[in-house]
Amino acid sequence: MAKPIMIQGTMSNAGKSILTGGLLRVLKQDGVKAAPFKSQNMALNSFITREGLEMGRAQVMQAEAAMIEPSVRMNPILLKPTNDTGSQVIVNGEVTGIMSATEYFRKKREYIPAILEAYHSLAVEYDVIVIEGAGSPAEINLKKDDIVNMGMAAMVDAPVLLAGDIDRGGVFAQIVGTIVLLEEEEKRRIKGTIINKFRGDKEILKPGLRMLEEKTKIPVCGVVPYFHLDIDDEDSLTERFSGKGGPGLLDIAVIRLPRISNFTDFAALEYRKEMSIRYVDTPGDFGEPDAVLIPGSKNTIQDLLWMRQNGLEGKIIRHAKKGKLVFGICGGYQMLGESIYDPEGVEQKGEIRGMGLLPVRTVFETEKTRTRVEGRFLKMEGILEEMTDVPMEGYEIHMGTTEYMNEPAAPLVNLVYEAGTAAVGGGERKTRADGAQSGNVYGCYVHGIFDSSEAAKGISAALLKWKGYDADMAETMDLKAYKESQYDLLADVIRDNLDMKRIYEIIEKGMDAPCSL
């Protein structure tokens, strides 16, 4: 049976996901068979496993760091917010419905059997389970019936490392205040603290660390510096949104929708030195980009209305009329069409006009499409003409279907997928076309469509040629090898700045690990 260790934080975005991934990579390098686990994740970034089940991308990143196949067992409950007060609830990769926050809070203990079943099925396969908490364990209004922080730690008797974010300021108050608000039994679970995202000279910090240990009677296990690595972030608190884009031959504007989902679709393009990716949420920041990318959304209708009201829709339409590239993925693809019809009230009952840039119409349905796909770009028009027959792969997560209008529309990609069952290898292999193109406007449902080296290089080379540069300046990049190098660098950061000897002792002894200073 696996030994557990849990990383909790003093707040959201304290760095729990990255610390968990880094620790998993260290364990892998040291020959320890380890897996990630997060009982409940709230995020709009999700992933489809080989079995056709949906899970949070943070645990996918952590599985990659551990060099194991992502499994929905690593994230048995996924909450995908649909508005400010409600979420789509996904249990073991399957949608169970949409609940208000109040309803979910009332029912969440009902999911404990599913959580424990998922955890224990991993525990018999691995030597160590690194558990990630959510938000803060000291959110006293949410502590009753907790299933993701100290409640989860108690269920599997896990020792805890508590991480604070010094970059936001007040890290000592964060840590001390969190511990003060815990019950005595919960306090005893904390075997070490971590100062995360530190900038500056550690010598200046040392007096504060000594005082922190004196006040909490808990040792500091390390100070992790602020660092920049190309590793997928968990949610919309990601720093990539605030970036203005570095120097690059190509200026790419990604529309930062309020309910943006799966923005990791563009990570492969962000890694390319010839591309400058910036996230835009106001007309004033739009500028004169070479290409506009519209990502997925958890509420397509509301995000389209948001763009219509703030002027970004007009900017995109004028950009397209200049003959420049527009590419929409999933919800972004739906927005580019003539209309969106929601007869069942999946998002908002009724029909809404689209941008009218693609001759397609979307009808929302209550059943969610979840499948992994592979395939090739079909005969391409316009700027992306040379991407014809370029291979691609990815996955689909969407509610509804998009059909062509009376005006002929050329499909974008030909997909091969498995139908008939969620079991790997158990379904019938089928092919179908997806997406649409008209001039220099393109759209499809496939998330991760640019993740293949060929697809990322293809769109870069096409844009470089269109702009008058040598297309050969778009070098082939092995994305998998690059990501592996980033995980190894992350492991170096963890080894260099955390007391791994003590952490191994905590893993080995669990709740019996001494808490001496």
Side-chain angles (χ1 to χ4, degrees):
M1 187 66 72
K3 297 180 182 296
I5 185 169
M6 187 170 193
I7 296 179
Q8 297 184 16
T10 56
M11 64 176 75
S12 295
N13 211 34
K16 298 182 291 291
S17 296
I18 294 292
L19 291 172
T20 299
L23 181 54
L24 283 160
R25 188 58 156 210
V26 169
L27 292 170
K28 173 62 181 178
Q29 291 175 343
D30 291 348
V32 179
K33 193 177 179 184
F37 185 82
K38 186 168 184 175
S39 58
Q40 171 198 295
N41 194 357
M42 177 176 282
L44 290 175
N45 274 345
S46 60
F47 176 84
I48 298 299
T49 68
R50 290 187 187 277
E51 299 86 358
L53 300 173
E54 190 171 1
M55 64 182 290
R57 283 206 67 100
Q59 283 60 63
V60 175
M61 175 273 288
Q62 293 161 357
E64 289 178 349
M67 301 182 77
I68 58 178
E69 179 78 15
S71 167
V72 75
R73 296 173 298 166
M74 299 167 184
N75 174 213
I77 299 177
L78 175 63
L79 305 178
K80 300 183 76 172
T82 54
N83 52 46
D84 292 340
T85 59
S87 295
Q88 185 181 73
V89 180
I90 298 167
V91 180
N92 290 326
E94 304 269 8
V95 175
T96 63
I98 294 176
M99 295 186 194
S100 67
T102 302
E103 182 183 6
Y104 178 76
F105 186 77
R106 187 174 62 249
K107 295 183 65 173
K108 64 181 179 178
R109 285 194 66 83
E110 297 177 15
Y111 299 120
I112 288 177
I115 290 170
L116 290 178
E117 182 180 0
Y119 176 86
H120 290 305
S121 70
L122 289 172
V124 298
E125 295 179 17
Y126 294 91
D127 301 322
V128 174
I129 305 292
V130 184
I131 308 168
E132 180 190 345
S136 163
E139 292 171 350
I140 53 180
N141 59 313
L142 301 176
K143 280 185 66 176
K144 184 177 183 294
D145 299 331
D146 171 58
I147 60 173
V148 69
N149 286 307
M150 285 300 178
M152 181 67 220
M155 281 189 263
V156 297
D157 201 25
V160 173
L161 298 175
L162 180 64
D165 179 359
I166 195 171
D167 190 54
R168 294 195 192 180
V171 73
F172 300 116
Q174 291 175 33
I175 292 174
V176 173
T178 297
I179 294 170
V180 165
L181 290 172
L182 297 177
E183 306 297 330
E184 289 302 318
E185 183 179 346
E186 295 171 334
K187 293 177 185 177
R188 286 193 290 271
R189 291 206 172 273
I190 302 178
K191 300 298 180 179
T193 61
I194 298 171
I195 307 295
N196 198 25
K197 305 183 187 179
F198 178 70
R199 308 175 195 245
D201 186 346
K202 288 184 182 179
E203 288 299 316
I204 300 174
L205 191 62
K206 282 184 176 179
L209 300 181
R210 286 193 293 270
M211 290 180 65
L212 179 62
E213 291 182 331
E214 289 169 4
K215 287 189 176 296
T216 63
K217 303 298 187 288
I218 298 171
V220 176
C221 287
V223 178
V224 178
Y226 199 103
F227 59 87
H228 293 279
L229 290 174
D230 287 328
I231 293 174
D232 286 348
D233 299 305
E234 176 170 12
D235 52 34
S236 296
L237 291 171
T238 176
E239 295 169 3
R240 61 165 33 105
F241 285 164
S242 60
K244 298 300 181 184
L249 299 175
L250 301 172
D251 177 22
I252 312 296
V254 178
I255 304 301
R256 182 184 172 180
L257 303 169
R259 300 160 190 83
I260 187 172
S261 66
N262 290 73
F263 54 79
T264 47
D265 287 342
F266 308 118
L269 304 182
E270 292 180 24
Y271 303 154
R272 302 190 67 87
K273 61 185 179 182
E274 70 273 17
M275 286 191 163
S276 174
I277 309 292
R278 54 192 178 87
Y279 288 80
V280 173
D281 60 3
T282 67
D285 291 334
F286 190 84
E288 290 290 338
D290 300 312
V292 172
L293 307 179
I294 309 177
S297 166
K298 196 63 194 73
N299 195 313
T300 302
I301 292 175
Q302 286 298 314
D303 279 352
L304 176 56
L305 288 173
W306 170 81
M307 285 199 296
R308 188 160 291 162
Q309 291 161 2
N310 80 353
L312 274 173
E313 179 189 36
K315 287 281 190 179
I316 295 168
I317 292 172
R318 286 190 289 275
H319 171 91
K321 287 182 176 178
K322 293 177 184 177
K324 293 185 175 183
L325 186 146
V326 178
F327 201 115
I329 296 177
C330 199
Y333 168 40
Q334 294 171 338
M335 294 178 194
L336 291 172
E338 296 290 344
S339 67
I340 300 171
Y341 178 44
D342 186 358
E344 303 293 333
V346 173
E347 288 186 3
Q348 179 177 310
K349 199 165 187 176
E351 188 165 11
I352 183 174
R353 170 176 53 85
M355 292 190 203
L357 295 177
L358 287 175
V360 296
R361 176 178 186 258
T362 296
V363 179
F364 283 159
E365 299 167 347
T366 54
E367 186 176 349
K368 177 180 281 192
T369 297
R370 305 184 321 263
T371 185
R372 294 194 62 80
V373 298
E374 58 186 44
R376 291 181 177 275
F377 284 87
L378 292 167
K379 180 172 175 55
M380 300 295 287
E381 305 171 352
I383 293 173
L384 299 186
E385 180 181 3
E386 294 190 15
M387 286 191 72
T388 299
D389 207 37
V390 167
M392 47 68 63
E393 60 181 341
Y395 53 96
E396 292 184 58
I397 317 172
H398 56 92
M399 311 281 280
T401 57
T402 297
E403 56 196 27
Y404 302 128
M405 305 285 285
N406 293 331
E407 179 183 342
L412 192 75
V413 291
N414 190 55
L415 302 179
V416 180
Y417 66 104
E418 196 169 278
T421 178
V424 175
E428 179 186 355
R429 298 280 284 179
K430 292 189 174 183
T431 62
R432 61 177 164 82
D434 181 64
Q437 53 181 313
S438 178
N440 291 317
V441 180
Y442 313 85
C444 73
Y445 274 116
V446 183
H447 291 290
I449 192 168
F450 300 121
D451 283 357
S452 73
S453 299
E454 296 91 341
K457 179 182 178 181
I459 189 172
S460 177
L463 282 167
L464 286 169
K465 181 179 178 181
W466 168 77
K467 204 173 177 184
Y469 295 111
D470 184 353
D472 290 337
M473 296 174 72
E475 299 177 359
T476 299
M477 180 179 182
D478 187 334
L479 181 60
K480 188 175 187 298
Y482 179 72
K483 290 176 75 171
E484 289 299 315
S485 72
Q486 296 297 290
Y487 289 130
D488 285 337
L489 289 172
L490 176 60
D492 291 344
V493 172
I494 297 298
R495 287 188 190 278
D496 292 345
N497 296 284
L498 293 187
D499 185 349
M500 285 306 304
K501 181 179 179 181
R502 170 154 185 81
I503 290 173
Y504 269 117
E505 182 182 29
I506 294 170
I507 292 172
E508 182 61 33
K509 296 182 178 180
M511 287 301 296
D512 293 328
C515 208
S516 55
L517 300 178

